[in-house]
Amino acid sequence: MGRRKSKAFAQENQSLVPCSSGTDSVRVEVEDEAMEERGESVSLDDSPLIGADNTSADYYFDSYSHFGIHEEMLKDVVRTKTYQNVIYQNKFLFKNKVVLDVGAGTGILSLFCAKAGAKHVYAVECSQMADMAKEIVQTNGYSDVITVLKGKVEEIELPVARVDVIISEWMGYFLLFENMLNTVLYARDKWLINNGVILPDKALLFLTAIEDAEYKEDKIEFWNDVYGFDMSCIRKQAMAEPLVDTVDPKQIVTSDIMIKMMDISEMTSGDVSFTAPFKLVAERNDFIHAFVAYFNVQFTQCHREISFSTGPRSKVTHWKQTVLYLDEVLTICEDEVIYGNMTVEPNKKNPRDLEITIDYTLNGKRCQVSSRTQHYKMR
């Protein structure tokens, strides 16, 4: 198994809510790592600024103002081209329609909609990127079609009572990290007309299990003996923090199972908290070191359904996959089954964070686990 690059969720002090699409300051870590690999220095002070008055503190608490995050998302071809295809190949959904873009970022989705013939697009973005989005809209000659509104969706007032279409790239790591979905549901309930279009309208969360001995040894067991000293207290913390990482499909040991399907057109905000059973069947004799979660997104209201996957067997996206390490190694034989339940809920103090609990059992020929519970905090 090749060495991978980890993204530990150890970010603290995220009391200020980001309002753009996708993920939070974790994405800054992704961009910083890429800069290191290119031999570039990584410093908040060296980062290009949107506003000359901004400080590094502004970017720590308002990470979506950093252009690098938007560069990463725009260069995610799976993400951006899928949205472009959805809009350009289904102009009948947008022609002469009023569109709301939730978490507009640079305004790229709004520009797609305007080019597809939308009557008007309201692009809502609460980070300082909204100022750049206004300039981008003006530069490209769409100021008469696109109105950029700076602020939180829950606090702004639209110039219109209803919209025909809501479009958003709200998905975070593990699908629900940052819980921006609730913002989309708020906008849907407040502004979307009856039988209006919401894009995407389906999201599916999946689970599988992998062999990952080499990487677990490097990132987790390392803390048991650090130059002769016991730092296992950090190991406990590392175990509880999911990693956003790229998984080699050759590592997959079991079947995949859909944990949760979300219908964005009909679900309520409470549906982001759930408990779901799972059954993973071993496809070969091997060891299991971690569960892996990923998601698919569907646009079913198109002329022909369009979708993309963030799974390990699909083209890599900036979402990668989410790895949840197990405290003990499971020895599993072909056709043996891991039964379990996964519980997901927003953190009570910071609803942008996630609490994940996995209960599982394995009654195999060479390994028996009667009942095991592990807790994870995605922050």
Side-chain angles (χ1 to χ4, degrees), residues 166-182:
I166 291 178
I167 194 165
S168 179
E169 192 273 86
W170 54 266
M171 300 78 70
Y173 297 124
F174 192 78
L175 182 63
L176 294 171
F177 179 60
E178 284 193 340
N179 199 15
M180 188 183 160
L181 176 55
N182 278 347

Side-chain angles (χ1 to χ4, degrees), residues 163-166 188 192-199 265 301:
V163 299
D164 303 297
V165 180
I166 291 178
R188 178 201 68 186
L192 189 63
I193 63 170
N194 291 335
N195 300 316
V197 174
I198 189 163
L199 298 167
S265 299
Q301 299 186 61

Side-chain angles (χ1 to χ4, degrees), residues 20-77:
S20 185
S21 59
T23 57
D24 193 7
S25 56
V26 176
R27 275 184 168 138
V28 176
E29 297 177 14
V30 177
E31 177 65 14
D32 288 351
E33 185 174 278
M35 291 174 66
E36 289 175 345
E37 291 178 350
R38 295 194 299 267
E40 301 171 15
S41 61
V42 178
S43 168
L44 285 175
D45 292 335
D46 293 337
S47 300
L49 301 179
I50 290 173
D53 295 334
N54 291 353
T55 67
S56 61
D58 293 321
Y59 287 98
Y60 182 81
F61 288 109
D62 190 7
S63 63
Y64 276 96
S65 294
H66 195 291
F67 86 95
I69 297 171
H70 297 277
E71 177 186 358
E72 180 195 9
M73 291 189 289
L74 291 170
K75 287 182 176 179
D76 183 339
V77 176

Side-chain angles (χ1 to χ4, degrees), residues 130-332:
D131 298 328
M132 296 300 291
K134 291 179 182 178
E135 184 173 339
I136 291 168
V137 168
Q138 182 177 8
T139 299
N140 286 276
Y142 284 104
S143 296
D144 58 335
V145 179
I146 301 173
T147 299
V148 178
L149 300 172
K150 186 176 183 180
K152 296 180 181 179
V153 167
E154 294 83 355
E155 296 176 359
I156 65 160
E157 290 295 331
L158 290 184
V160 294
R162 291 287 185 268
V163 299
D164 303 297
V165 180
I166 291 178
I167 194 165
S168 179
E169 192 273 86
W170 54 266
M171 300 78 70
Y173 297 124
F174 192 78
L175 182 63
L176 294 171
F177 179 60
E178 284 193 340
N179 199 15
M180 188 183 160
L181 176 55
N182 278 347
T183 298
V184 175
L185 299 180
Y186 175 92
R188 178 201 68 186
D189 294 342
K190 185 171 183 179
W191 290 301
L192 189 63
I193 63 170
N194 291 335
N195 300 316
V197 174
I198 189 163
L199 298 167
D201 58 318
K202 298 285 195 310
L204 298 80
L205 184 65
F206 291 85
L207 191 70
T208 189
I210 63 169
E211 180 281 325
D212 204 15
E214 180 183 339
Y215 200 63
K216 186 183 179 190
E217 181 69 26
D218 180 54
K219 300 301 294 186
I220 304 296
E221 307 305 337
F222 162 79
W223 298 106
N224 290 327
D225 183 356
V226 183
Y227 298 98
F229 295 97
D230 184 347
M231 297 188 182
S232 56
C233 58
I234 297 179
R235 179 190 184 279
K236 296 177 183 178
Q237 183 71 18
M239 284 290 300
E241 295 178 349
L243 302 181
V244 170
D245 212 343
T246 301
V247 172
D248 187 333
K250 295 178 181 179
Q251 295 175 252
I252 299 173
V253 177
T254 70
S255 58
D256 301 56
I257 188 169
M258 186 177 70
I259 291 291
K260 180 72 172 178
M261 192 280 283
M262 296 183 176
D263 186 336
I264 318 306
S265 299
E266 299 180 358
M267 68 180 289
T268 67
S269 60
D271 292 337
V272 298
S273 299
F274 62 88
T275 297
F278 64 83
K279 173 185 174 182
L280 299 175
V281 181
E283 298 176 342
R284 64 174 184 262
N285 293 357
D286 212 326
F287 303 96
I288 291 176
H289 299 86
F291 292 118
V292 173
Y294 64 92
F295 62 89
N296 294 357
V297 173
Q298 299 176 343
F299 301 79
T300 70
Q301 299 186 61
C302 298
H303 178 62
R304 291 192 305 175
E305 181 179 313
I306 296 177
S307 64
F308 68 85
S309 175
T310 64
R313 297 180 183 88
S314 301
K315 187 173 181 179
V316 175
T317 71
H318 74 279
W319 288 289
K320 299 177 180 152
Q321 295 88 45
T322 302
V323 182
L324 305 115
Y325 282 111
L326 302 179
D327 195 48
E328 62 180 290
V329 180
L330 303 182
T331 304
I332 198 166

